[in-house]
Amino acid sequence: MKNKIWLLLVAFSIMVGSCSKDFEEINTDIKNPATVPPGALFANAQKELVDNITSSNVNLNVFRMLSQYWTETTYIDEANYDFNTRNIPQNFWNGMYVNVLKNLKESKSLIPSQDRVLYPDAVQKNQAACTEILSVYAFAVLVNVYGDIPYSEALDIDKVTPKYDKALDIYDDLVKRLDAAMQIIDSNAGGFGSSDILYGGDMIGWKKMANSLKLRLGIMLADVDLAKSKAIVESAAAGAILDNSNNCVFQYLSAPPNTNPIWVDLVQSGRKDFIAANTIVDIMDSLGSDPRIPFYFTTDAAGGYSGGPYAYSNNYGTYSKPADRLLVPGFEALLFDAAETQFILAEAAERGMSVSGTAASHYEAGIRESMAYWRVSESDIDAFLLEPEVAYATAPGNWKQKIGTQKWIALYNRGIEGWTEWRRLDYPIVNLPEDLTYGDIPVRFTYPVQEQNLNTTKWKDAAAAIGGDDVTTKLFWDKF
């Protein structure tokens, strides 16, 4: 009898153990693990950032319209500055805070938990530096789009109604964060390796990217505090991205789901919503028949190049469209390139800052780097730079018009930066939608509706601090 009881107990214990194991396996979500490696979060944050910046989806990114590189055909609300129907400011805000900055914060917090044999101290410091540099990029974009934003209390689960920090204060802190990140970078050690989709773990590249961001932040302050701007620019200039071999590039793949979002929006979807805006085509044609035109746009119905009137209903078949190169699923995206650096240095020289070279030499280098990136031939580049409308000594207008116009052209397909430079330097002169004045053109996004409803007090304080939560309220660096 005792033997039978013992056998029953053994059988029962085996059955319970088996059931417990099966129950545990069934209730473990292998697609959503409880812990995620920091590299995976970092890779996801990179892709989300580049997708947000690159997308042409009218629910998220309308900056190519704001820059007047593209205009619309049938549905023309966004080109006429209707941002609220599709809740665009909220979608962009959430994409940056939730999908980018939150992932970067979580990635950084998990770095110390890694095996120190596989990830020694120098590697972990490099990884932390990468998360900081990319966070600076994302926060700077948010400041340049909205103005004052949640920063010091952002991303804190215990601060559900975060305060809005002053945009200038955020800029100051972002520069400090870049300096601190560069200080801990060990160029001889690795970083995130294959999880780093921008530089593949090359820390020399990351240091150049950090200096380039610092350079951009510095020049943005030139009309606010020239002495501060000068110090920042001069400290970053030599270490920035100076040629196309060091561009910060995100290489999309030729097959879904990691394809360029422009291909997704325009080709995979089969939509015919966008054409070239007459603004950019007319300006490029007036400046010595810019040889980048066939690399930016297709020919029109007549075999030439023409843009549709900005913000008006347009026939898709009549005008030039985005060039075929942009519509390839694996077409790369840029976060920073040498052309931008060279134009910043040209402006810095004009403002009396100590950077090597003259305004004219950097201006020419900016055009050369832009054209080389778009695969314009060397002979065509040389000929273009001799055009009286282009050569620095004879191009029309003051230095802001010369540099601002060519920088805006070079920033094509980088709508946020094109819009930012137009707002800051006030060139080129763009076109107006019907019944609007130049002063009606948006110079910022309004704050999201969710902030108005869920963070009402802090939103009201922020709106009052910047001069009103309106699209026509100028940001702190937009002085003219």
Side-chain angles (χ1 to χ4, degrees), residues 23 35 118 131 167 171-172 174 231 279 286 294 323 326 370 389 393 424 426 428 439:
F23 181 81
T35 59
L118 298 175
T131 63
Y171 256 56
D172 289 341
L174 293 179
T279 313
S286 70
L326 278 70
S370 171
E389 299 89 348
R424 190 175 66 86
D426 301 306

Side-chain angles (χ1 to χ4, degrees), residues 28-261:
T28 300
D29 187 352
I30 61 175
K31 293 185 178 180
N32 293 286
T35 59
V36 180
L41 290 168
F42 184 69
N44 187 63
Q46 287 178 305
K47 184 176 185 299
E48 291 290 342
L49 172 62
V50 180
D51 281 353
N52 288 345
I53 298 296
T54 306
S55 173
S56 55
N57 189 310
V58 290
N59 296 294
L60 175 67
N61 184 330
V62 294
F63 299 109
R64 289 180 185 84
M65 258 92 74
L66 286 175
S67 304
Q68 296 200 15
Y69 298 140
W70 294 2
T71 191
E72 294 173 293
T73 53
T74 305
Y75 307 104
I76 60 174
D77 293 342
E78 292 72 37
N80 281 279
Y81 312 136
D82 176 3
F83 304 149
N84 295 322
T85 299
R86 297 182 187 274
N87 217 357
I88 297 165
Q90 183 162 299
N91 294 336
F92 189 77
W93 173 287
N94 288 344
M96 296 297 287
Y97 272 111
V98 178
N99 298 334
V100 179
L101 286 164
K102 184 63 175 175
N103 274 330
L104 289 171
K105 181 181 179 181
E106 290 299 316
S107 175
K108 185 178 181 181
S109 71
L110 291 170
I111 289 171
S113 66
Q114 298 174 108
D115 185 335
R116 287 195 173 270
V117 175
L118 298 175
Y119 303 96
D121 188 59
V123 172
Q124 293 197 15
K125 286 183 178 179
N126 282 349
Q127 291 176 340
C130 291
T131 63
E132 278 290 276
I133 295 166
L134 215 59
S135 294
V136 167
Y137 190 106
F139 271 121
V141 166
L142 285 167
V143 171
N144 291 342
V145 171
Y146 299 92
D148 296 0
I149 57 168
Y151 177 72
S152 59
E153 295 182 358
L155 311 176
D156 186 342
I157 196 171
D158 296 321
K159 301 285 178 61
V160 294
T161 57
K163 70 175 184 178
Y164 286 60
D165 295 84
K166 299 294 294 180
L168 180 57
D169 293 342
I170 297 172
Y171 256 56
D172 289 341
D173 194 60
L174 293 179
V175 171
K176 292 177 183 176
R177 289 173 68 173
L178 286 174
D179 283 338
M182 287 188 280
Q183 188 67 33
I184 65 172
I185 287 177
D186 182 348
S187 299
N188 296 314
F192 279 110
S194 60
S195 295
D196 175 6
I197 316 173
L198 291 171
Y199 283 109
D202 175 15
M203 297 311 300
I204 294 175
W206 276 104
K207 200 161 190 176
K208 288 182 181 294
M209 177 59 169
N211 271 307
S212 300
L213 289 176
K214 185 178 176 182
L215 192 69
R216 181 193 286 171
L217 291 169
I219 205 66
M220 296 288 291
L221 296 172
D223 290 328
V224 180
D225 186 334
L226 185 58
K228 181 190 292 185
S229 172
K230 184 175 185 291
I232 295 170
V233 167
E234 291 177 352
S235 68
I241 296 168
L242 296 171
D243 60 75
N244 287 329
S245 65
N246 297 126
N247 288 350
C248 188
V249 173
F250 187 96
Q251 184 60 63
Y252 283 102
L253 302 181
S254 58
N258 296 311
T259 50
N260 191 302

Side-chain angles (χ1 to χ4, degrees), residues 455-466:
N455 195 11
T456 307
T457 300
K458 306 294 177 55
W459 163 71
K460 286 182 177 179
D461 292 343
I466 65 172

Side-chain angles (χ1 to χ4, degrees), residues 248-275:
C248 188
V249 173
F250 187 96
Q251 184 60 63
Y252 283 102
L253 302 181
S254 58
N258 296 311
T259 50
N260 191 302
I262 302 175
W263 176 80
V264 175
D265 297 337
L266 304 188
V267 179
Q268 189 182 48
S269 68
R271 299 189 67 88
K272 298 180 178 180
D273 294 331
F274 304 114
I275 56 173

Side-chain angles (χ1 to χ4, degrees), residues 224 423-426 443 474-480:
V224 180
R423 289 179 289 163
R424 190 175 66 86
L425 295 177
D426 301 306
V443 290
K474 288 191 172 186
L475 302 186
F476 78 102
W477 41 255
D478 188 2
K479 292 294 185 179
F480 303 105

Side-chain angles (χ1 to χ4, degrees), residues 340-402:
E340 181 178 356
T341 299
Q342 295 294 349
F343 284 118
I344 291 173
L345 296 178
E347 178 181 343
E350 281 286 4
R351 291 182 182 272
M353 301 180 189
S354 298
V355 294
S356 61
T358 64
S361 67
H362 287 298
Y363 166 88
E364 180 176 314
I367 294 173
R368 284 189 178 278
E369 293 293 339
S370 171
M371 290 193 169
Y373 174 79
W374 289 98
R375 303 173 185 170
V376 175
S377 71
E378 193 70 29
S379 60
D380 284 346
I381 297 174
D382 291 340
F384 181 72
L385 288 168
L386 292 175
E387 294 281 352
E389 299 89 348
V390 178
Y392 200 70
T394 56
N398 58 19
W399 69 261
K400 282 191 174 183
Q401 182 174 347
K402 296 176 185 182

